[in-house]
Amino acid sequence: MAFLGLIKRVTRISRNNSRVRLYPARYLQSRDLSTQKDKLPVLIVGAGPVGLVLSILLTKLGVDCVVVDKATSFSKHPQAHFINNRSMEIFRKLDGLAEEIERSQPPVDLWRKFIYCTSLSGSTLGTVDHMKPQDFEKVVSPASVAHFSQYKLTNLMLKRLEGLGFYVRRLKESDGVEFDSVVARQVLMGHECVAIDANKESVTATVSFLKGGKYMKRNIQCSILIGADGAGSAVRRLTEIKMQGESDLQKLVSVHFMSRELGEYLTSCRPGMLFFIFNTEGIGVLVAHDLLEGEFVLQIPFYPPQQSLSDFSPEMCKMLIFKLVGQELSDLNVADIKPWVMHAEVAEKFLCYENRVVLAGDAAHRFPPAGGFGMNTGIQDAHNLAWKIAALVQGSANSSIINTYETERRPIALFNTSLSVQNFRAAMSIPSVLGLDPTVANSVHRFINKTVGSILPTGLQKAILDNVFALGRAQLSESLLNESNPLGYQRLSRLKSIFEEGKSLQLQFPAEDLGFRYLEGAIVPDIKSEAGDLGVPSGRRRDYVPCAEPGSRLPHMYVRILSDPKREVVSTLDLISTEKVEFLLMISPLQESYELARATFKVAKEFMANVKVCIVWPSSNDGVEGDSKSALAPLENYVDVMEGKQQSGEEASWWSICKMSERGSILVRPDQHIASRVKSDVPLDPSMHMRDVFSIILGRN
């Protein structure tokens, strides 16, 4: 009965007349999702950063795809802006994207700090510098974090797609699109996914678009459909996948505005990324997206229905900005005003319909924007997924490899949700210490909306809420919040302790950004693992410690390519290709390791997989390239590298960084995560060992 109930639930018509059809379970058998001429390998719903980076990765790996988005144009609202180390490492592999971001972003000294103040021209309550010397040394990563608005990132990604032969088709150009045609390498704007049909062969997405003043529908058939369409995902809704966690943590209004006058003032007087402003006339968080261009977003708490979006008119927003700045601005221009809701939720599953429909990014997880985990986690979803889809479409992997996407990424999403919530609560500790406990306002708001307060006249409800806000802001008066006042002195002392102990809102989490590890999935875990997982999120900044456990990101080390006449220096992460699905086997120049390499080449060929071998020579040796050539002949897909020096000038051993013997070996996946390793000795039967490894990773017998 439960199973029949499930079938009925999934097949019923939704309220908005969108539909999803699920075929009987016996009709859907596990099968490879190979490419056929009459259908698209991959359809991506959502042209945000996650959908675009996935389309770039897939295209570079040789998989055709199309992107559709319901929006008629790309948003210019800045939205996400912090790009962490791991995402920047991925961007380094996308035709110089990371380097262009670094050139285009504001100077680091203009955004490294969070500033807490009574107004932008008033007294400072505290300042937190989130950058440490090691953040610039590139010892644990070849990339640094960045501060770059989402719409600018989108523009750079579109340039990469155009370089790969993509065409961005705007709404007015849709008249030339043939119904049911499959034309790869397109971004179709103004195309909304309204229905999904799944059968044993494919998925058919019905998309709605405007043509000649009328809404039309067309079908796009694909092997795999990716829902990367954001927090309000239509794909998630159509497939009836539920979200789990804490919803509606906070409602806010986001005000995007420009003022070069304000940018120039802050650049010269108090540069920072975030400004937390508390005074008797207003409260808000100002995000300085670019001080040099004078581009800002003000986040304001929002309490509907007592407050409506019409209360936040451009004129009202200007007046509030003046109050928070502490003076009027002659060039203030409000560009956009939009409400949004903060959630802390993860989808109950990331896959459905025999792994043919996949959720990624905000469609799969919605975090508070504390620590910038939202967009970054989504980009890493795409990185995890791309090579698996390519291996499946190209025939080296079984369809079960897509299962490992959910197995690996959902625990990371759950962990990052907890960390984001902790960081959000740390942010709330500051107003709480100042006598502005946000839980009080939220409790009053819930009382008005969900209990007997809801029967009160609307005007009285609004008056009650306004009085609560006014009473809270009164705690910020200069007569109270000063060191001469006993209560004010106590509050300011507690505030200082929070900043000194690192208990306020944090920007960087190196241990989590670089040190997340897949405990199961497309990996072969060590029988005895010495490294534990990250445990319960601490909410504090923790340094990253390199780890070579299976499931971990490959540690970074600069190495010299011996075959290059100029002895080019690259990161170990650069040794992994983005142009094809290729595994990397890292070994030492030992006879038994060369035998393992030869066995790996042979087994990979049996699995129709690509492998490159990297021989890591100690820094004390040089001119030894010929040894590998004779040991591996006639095989050619290998590279000899020599250990490099750290940025500090200190020499380091690759195998000591990995906490392994030089007699060991590491097999790295195409997404730069370690698939398998042998810590100390080459297996007695290298071929059998590698056959087992590839069988597990690729899901094949």
Side-chain angles (χ1 to χ4, degrees):
M1 293 298 290
F3 179 77
L4 291 175
L6 173 65
I7 295 296
K8 291 177 181 178
R9 187 167 71 252
V10 176
T11 55
R12 69 170 177 263
I13 304 297
S14 63
R15 292 179 183 175
N16 66 356
N17 204 34
S18 296
R19 72 187 188 282
V20 174
R21 186 190 311 156
L22 178 65
Y23 286 77
R26 66 178 182 275
Y27 193 60
L28 289 170
Q29 303 298 326
S30 177
R31 31 185 303 128
D32 289 341
L33 306 180
S34 57
T35 305
Q36 294 182 8
K37 292 182 180 180
D38 60 344
K39 66 182 175 184
L40 191 70
V42 179
L43 174 66
I44 300 170
V45 181
V50 176
L52 294 181
V53 77
L54 179 59
S55 63
I56 295 171
L57 290 167
L58 286 173
T59 303
K60 289 175 75 68
L61 291 172
V63 178
D64 284 336
C65 60
V66 164
V67 183
V68 299
D69 196 289
K70 68 178 181 180
T72 57
S73 61
F74 292 96
S75 173
K76 292 187 177 180
H77 203 95
Q79 296 174 284
H81 56 95
F82 180 67
I83 308 175
N84 69 19
N85 271 108
R86 186 62 186 131
S87 294
M88 286 294 281
E89 288 179 350
I90 296 168
F91 291 166
R92 287 178 76 248
K93 306 290 283 184
L94 303 184
D95 304 318
L97 178 57
E99 291 79 3
E100 189 166 0
I101 290 170
E102 290 174 349
R103 290 194 302 269
S104 305
Q105 70 175 346
V108 175
D109 285 344
L110 296 186
W111 54 265
R112 61 191 293 167
K113 296 178 181 178
F114 290 176
I115 297 172
Y116 299 78
C117 56
T118 57
S119 75
L120 296 182
S121 56
S123 59
T124 299
L125 300 171
T127 300
V128 180
D129 187 344
H130 292 283
M131 303 301 288
K132 294 185 176 182
Q134 61 263 37
D135 296 331
F136 304 99
E137 293 171 356
K138 298 189 176 181
V139 172
V140 298
S141 173
S144 298
V145 299
H147 173 48
F148 197 64
S149 299
Q150 181 173 320
Y151 78 92
K152 296 179 181 178
L153 176 61
T154 296
N155 290 337
L156 295 187
M157 288 182 176
L158 289 173
K159 282 172 54 180
R160 267 73 192 166
L161 282 172
E162 289 169 2
L164 292 170
F166 265 75
Y167 182 76
V168 179
R169 193 180 292 275
R170 313 289 176 174
L171 180 63
K172 63 182 179 181
E173 300 168 312
S174 295
D175 289 353
V177 179
E178 296 181 11
F179 291 134
D180 300 323
S181 63
V182 177
V183 182
R185 302 199 183 194
Q186 291 192 90
V187 179
L188 302 177
M189 302 302 292
H191 282 60
E192 181 178 5
C193 182
V194 295
I196 299 171
D197 285 355
N199 63 31
K200 69 174 183 176
E201 297 294 339
S202 63
V203 177
T204 301
T206 302
V207 295
S208 172
F209 64 100
L210 195 61
K211 181 178 182 180
K214 295 182 180 180
Y215 278 100
M216 310 290 288
K217 291 182 179 180
R218 67 186 294 246
N219 294 325
I220 302 177
Q221 190 179 44
C222 59
S223 290
I224 301 176
L225 184 148
I226 310 296
D229 48 342
S233 171
V235 173
R236 188 183 64 235
R237 173 173 49 80
L238 291 169
T239 53
E240 298 193 352
I241 295 177
K242 305 300 181 185
M243 299 296 283
Q244 299 173 337
E246 298 180 68
S247 63
D248 199 2
L249 288 176
Q250 179 76 61
K251 292 184 175 69
L252 299 108
V253 168
S254 179
V255 182
H256 177 207
F257 70 93
M258 306 293 293
S259 172
R260 286 191 177 272
E261 183 182 343
L262 179 59
E264 290 170 2
Y265 165 72
L266 292 174
T267 298
S268 61
C269 296
R270 48 170 63 169
M273 177 193 285
L274 297 187
F275 297 83
F276 300 82
I277 310 166
F278 308 97
N279 64 45
T280 56
E281 296 188 275
I283 295 170
V285 179
L286 184 71
V287 185
H289 280 266
D290 194 325
L291 290 181
L292 298 179
E293 294 182 0
E295 184 169 31
F296 302 90
V297 168
L298 178 64
Q299 303 288 1
I300 311 166
F302 181 38
Y303 293 91
Q306 291 75 30
Q307 293 179 334
S308 67
L309 192 58
S310 61
D311 293 331
F312 297 87
S313 65
E315 193 58 36
M316 176 272 176
C317 290
K318 281 186 179 182
M319 297 308 297
L320 179 57
I321 291 168
F322 292 158
K323 292 174 182 177
L324 296 176
V325 171
Q327 62 187 43
E328 293 193 5
L329 301 167
S330 60
D331 65 343
L332 178 62
N333 177 37
V334 175
D336 190 22
I337 302 167
K338 59 191 297 185
W340 63 283
V341 184
M342 185 187 301
H343 303 285
E345 299 178 307
V346 176
E348 61 183 349
K349 56 184 179 180
F350 290 7
L351 307 168
C352 60
Y353 306 151
E354 298 293 301
N355 302 341
R356 291 190 182 276
V357 179
V358 184
L359 299 182
D362 286 356
H365 39 71
R366 308 189 292 201
F367 310 144
F373 283 96
M375 181 180 71
N376 289 294
T377 304
I379 288 166
Q380 291 146 34
D381 288 344
H383 196 223
N384 180 285
L385 187 57
W387 76 270
K388 296 176 180 178
I389 291 176
L392 176 59
V393 170
Q394 294 166 5
S396 62
N398 186 274
S399 60
S400 62
I401 196 171
I402 305 300
N403 286 331
T404 68
Y405 164 70
E406 178 178 307
T407 302
E408 293 176 356
R409 293 303 301 168
R410 192 168 183 275
I412 302 301
L414 290 168
F415 184 91
N416 288 348
T417 303
S418 299
L419 186 54
S420 297
V421 169
Q422 277 208 351
N423 209 24
F424 170 67
R425 288 173 179 160
M428 294 300 99
S429 68
I430 303 299
S432 296
V433 165
L434 295 174
L436 287 166
D437 190 344
T439 60
V440 173
N442 291 337
S443 297
V444 172
H445 188 234
R446 281 193 297 270
F447 170 79
I448 293 173
N449 289 332
K450 297 184 178 180
T451 63
V452 292
S454 61
I455 65 174
L456 297 174
T458 303
L460 183 56
Q461 292 181 29
K462 193 173 189 306
I464 292 172
L465 206 56
D466 287 343
N467 285 333
V468 170
F469 297 154
L471 183 62
R473 291 195 301 269
Q475 306 297 309
L476 303 169
S477 65
E478 291 184 5
S479 61
L480 179 59
L481 196 61
N482 67 78
E483 294 190 351
S484 300
N485 183 298
L487 181 58
Y489 176 79
Q490 181 187 40
R491 288 176 174 174
L492 291 173
S493 296
R494 289 175 60 195
L495 199 62
K496 183 179 179 181
S497 297
I498 289 175
F499 293 139
E500 289 177 346
E501 295 171 13
K503 293 182 179 179
S504 60
L505 178 70
Q506 298 297 301
L507 176 65
Q508 289 206 69
F509 294 88
E512 289 80 5
D513 292 345
L514 298 174
F516 67 87
R517 181 162 66 97
Y518 305 135
L519 300 180
E520 57 179 323
I523 63 170
V524 182
D526 284 351
I527 297 175
K528 290 185 178 180
S529 175
E530 296 176 0
D533 58 27
L534 290 172
V536 178
S538 68
R540 312 278 186 90
R541 172 173 171 144
R542 295 186 290 183
D543 290 333
Y544 162 74
V545 178
C547 175
E549 289 269 341
S552 301
R553 154 200 169 272
L554 180 70
H556 155 71
M557 180 183 187
Y558 285 115
V559 295
R560 292 185 181 276
I561 299 179
L562 296 177
S563 59
D564 189 304
K566 296 181 180 179
R567 296 293 176 92
E568 180 186 4
V569 176
V570 301
S571 168
T572 47
L573 295 168
D574 296 330
L575 300 171
I576 292 95
S577 173
T578 54
E579 307 299 326
K580 56 183 174 180
V581 180
E582 183 177 74
F583 293 85
L584 180 73
L585 179 68
M586 304 186 76
I587 61 171
S588 290
L590 303 172
Q591 183 58 42
E592 56 267 38
S593 297
Y594 284 126
E595 291 175 5
L596 174 65
R598 297 183 73 89
T600 303
F601 277 122
K602 178 183 177 183
V603 171
K605 187 175 181 180
E606 295 172 8
F607 281 83
M608 296 185 294
N610 298 306
V611 169
K612 179 167 70 175
V613 171
C614 172
I615 303 94
V616 183
W617 293 82
S619 57
S620 56
N621 287 305
D622 202 353
V624 289
E625 181 189 351
D627 292 336
S628 294
K629 185 174 183 179
S630 59
L632 293 175
L635 303 169
E636 297 181 349
N637 197 21
Y638 67 89
V639 58
D640 285 287
V641 302
M642 187 170 64
E643 297 168 346
K645 293 182 178 180
Q646 301 285 13
Q647 195 78 1
S648 60
E650 296 179 1
E651 292 188 358
S653 162
W654 168 248
W655 300 106
S656 65
I657 287 175
C658 295
K659 300 179 178 62
M660 293 173 58
S661 162
E662 65 175 6
R663 300 174 66 82
S665 63
I666 299 174
L667 183 68
V668 190
R669 305 188 323 190
D671 63 351
Q672 303 173 337
H673 281 256
I674 295 172
S676 172
R677 72 170 179 177
V678 177
K679 288 192 69 174
S680 56
D681 291 305
V682 173
L684 294 177
D685 188 336
S687 295
M688 180 179 292
H689 171 76
M690 295 311 300
R691 230 172 248 116
D692 290 342
V693 167
F694 278 103
S695 294
I696 293 170
I697 296 167
L698 299 174
R700 292 173 57 184
N701 295 324

